[in-house]
Amino acid sequence: MRTQVAIVGAGPAGLMLGRLLEQAGVDAVIIERRSPDYVLGRIRAGVLEQGTMDLLDAAGVGRRMHAEGLIHGGIELAFDGDRLNINFEKLIGKHVMVYGQTEVTRDLMDARRDSGTISIYQAEDVTIHDVDGATPRITYRKHGVTHALTCDVIAGCDGFHGVCRASVPEQAVTTFERVYPFGWLGVLVDRPPVADELIYAHHARGFALCSMRSSTRSRYYVQVPSNERVENWSDDRFWDELRTRLNPATAESLEAGPSIEKSIAPLRSFVAEPLRFGSLFLAGDAAHIVPPTGAKGLNLAMSDVKALAEALIERFVEGSAAGVDSYSTKVLQRIWKAERFSWWMTSLLHTFPETGRFGRRIQRAEFDYLAGSQSAQGSLAENYVGLP
Ligand code: RFL
Ligand code: PHB
């Protein structure tokens, strides 16, 4: 088989890239290691920036998001029970959309299926070849048979643990990484959200987040040590711990229920540079990871593939290499700003083993500064809703 762009990974990055290329008449095949149901079963992001909403609209897959998503004009921060509303609408006249990554993925999958473009799921031993040479290609195994896909370009949209970045010789890539000594234990529950807005709470026992998927489904997280095991957390233990970390009025109105999903996600900041190696281009979590505190991962993945699609369309439709040549430099600027914001939100709101009494006072001072400064709140708002 032959295609212009071979996309590795059918997460939101790979699917969106495939959709944008298809709209422009550029041929692309997606190769994914897992099954469609497995991909849809991963519960991840919940917050979309305006740029992501616009991209879903441009890709012709925004209808359900507008019908079912929840527009949020702000968030609440809490520090040891004290509450602070950050009103995006008032501060900068913008908002975000609460609409699950699962739903974004489903909408993109449906559009791809309807258009009849090729996606290969449950591909084993996906291997990339000759990205530095004249015949880039991908081999994979399916039902015991090995197949080859030749192409002009490979798009590595295969997440942090994917094969694409791992195939680049070590000396060709520089990585920047910070692994946090904690993760987020998340619970999904069919109960109405505890508040209209998301609550990001700092507590001496650790961070907590109250989020949602709809008016009847909530998503909650608590910070846990990175070696924690999900088996150690009964639903009762989770709800007790969450209530302890919220202010008493919020804890009182929290509606607990049986979890429908429970998992632990490690927290990490990571960037690989550059994002292009010959005919291989990295995008999304394959290129960078942010801790989820700033709700940036999915949004960054979307802005990467928007830029990559534009560059590839320029190359295949207009015959100019300018876009592909500048892709890495261009997207890294935005990536590092999102890395900074996500690291800052994480530092403000989590309890670190090494924080100590001095560190806690600094975190408190940061919260008090935010509470008293419209410019500080404006800066938070501007980053949270997404930089241009
Ligand atoms: P994905 O979603 O990991 O998809 C990569 C796909 O590649 C496949 N794959 C392979 N396919 C073929 N061959 C191989 N060798 C392969 N190896 C892997 C995988 O099976 C998978 O289908 O990456 P992508 O598309 O770059 O998307 C990135 C986002 O998923 C991620 O950044 C966000 O989920 C991060 N994130 C959040 N982002 C936001 O913008 N807002 C949020 O509110 C938000 N909350 C979160 C989050 C991530 C979380 N976790 C679990 C890490 C909350 C959490 C808890
Ligand atoms: C979520 O709803 O899963 C979510 C929301 C906001 C974040 C991270 C995760 O910052």
Side-chain angles (χ1 to χ4, degrees), residues 8-9 11 13 44 156-165 283-289:
V8 186
R44 289 183 168 179
C157 301
D158 51 348
F160 183 69
H161 299 288
V163 67
C164 290
R165 194 187 66 250
D285 279 14
H288 43 72
I289 293 289

Side-chain angles (χ1 to χ4, degrees), residues 222-235:
V222 294
Q223 172 188 347
V224 292
S226 34
N227 58 359
E228 188 58 86
R229 291 159 59 92
V230 73
E231 296 76 34
N232 295 336
W233 287 83
S234 66
D235 287 357

Side-chain angles (χ1 to χ4, degrees), residues 87-241:
N87 188 327
F88 305 150
E89 305 268 18
K90 222 163 67 194
L91 290 160
I92 55 166
K94 292 190 177 160
H95 55 253
V96 292
M97 176 80 85
V98 170
Y99 187 65
Q101 175 168 334
T102 310
E103 307 311 319
V104 172
T105 308
R106 191 189 304 279
D107 294 342
L108 285 163
M109 267 184 183
D110 287 351
R112 189 162 179 88
R113 200 190 39 238
D114 292 347
S115 70
T117 34
I118 302 174
S119 316
I120 296 149
Y121 282 91
Q122 290 170 296
E124 294 166 44
D125 290 338
V126 176
T127 311
I128 69 172
H129 308 266
D130 202 28
V131 294
D132 270 332
T135 53
R137 68 192 184 283
I138 295 182
T139 54
Y140 61 94
R141 209 154 38 80
K142 178 129 190 186
H143 304 312
V145 181
T146 299
H147 302 265
L149 173 65
T150 54
C151 55
D152 299 306
V153 161
I154 297 173
C157 301
D158 51 348
F160 183 69
H161 299 288
V163 67
C164 290
R165 194 187 66 250
S167 307
V168 175
E170 225 172 274
Q171 65 280 14
V173 56
T174 308
T175 59
F176 304 83
E177 184 169 39
R178 170 148 196 200
V179 178
Y180 300 89
F182 43 74
W184 284 13
L185 169 64
V187 157
L188 192 66
V189 63
D190 274 327
R191 290 288 184 277
V194 67
D196 291 340
E197 281 173 352
L198 270 62
I199 302 174
Y200 289 82
H202 173 97
H203 186 275
R205 290 178 64 84
F207 169 75
L209 171 61
C210 304
S211 180
M212 66 192 74
R213 288 294 176 272
S214 70
S215 59
T216 56
R217 181 171 283 189
S218 305
R219 179 72 163 159
Y220 295 104
Y221 297 95
V222 294
Q223 172 188 347
V224 292
S226 34
N227 58 359
E228 188 58 86
R229 291 159 59 92
V230 73
E231 296 76 34
N232 295 336
W233 287 83
S234 66
D235 287 357
D236 285 345
R237 182 178 175 200
F238 179 86
W239 297 120
D240 285 347
E241 187 62 39

Side-chain angles (χ1 to χ4, degrees), residues 55-71:
L55 193 63
L56 288 166
D57 283 335
V61 293
R63 193 192 52 77
R64 211 161 59 90
M65 168 191 72
H66 289 293
E68 297 174 20
L70 307 170
I71 289 179

Side-chain angles (χ1 to χ4, degrees), residues 286-354:
H288 43 72
I289 293 289
V290 286
T293 329
K296 287 282 158 271
L298 171 62
N299 292 298
L300 262 191
M302 288 293 159
S303 61
D304 288 358
V305 295
K306 178 173 186 285
L308 184 55
E310 283 165 3
L312 293 174
I313 291 164
E314 221 176 285
R315 150 119 193 246
F316 290 110
V317 180
E318 295 155 30
S320 156
V324 290
D325 289 343
S326 60
Y327 166 74
S328 179
T329 318
K330 181 177 161 186
V331 296
L332 277 165
Q333 285 190 13
R334 188 184 160 86
I335 290 165
W336 275 110
K337 287 181 190 161
E339 289 285 345
R340 182 205 70 83
F341 177 67
S342 305
W343 162 84
W344 176 78
M345 285 281 279
T346 304
S347 310
L348 169 65
L349 293 168
H350 290 72
T351 300
F352 291 73
E354 73 278 14

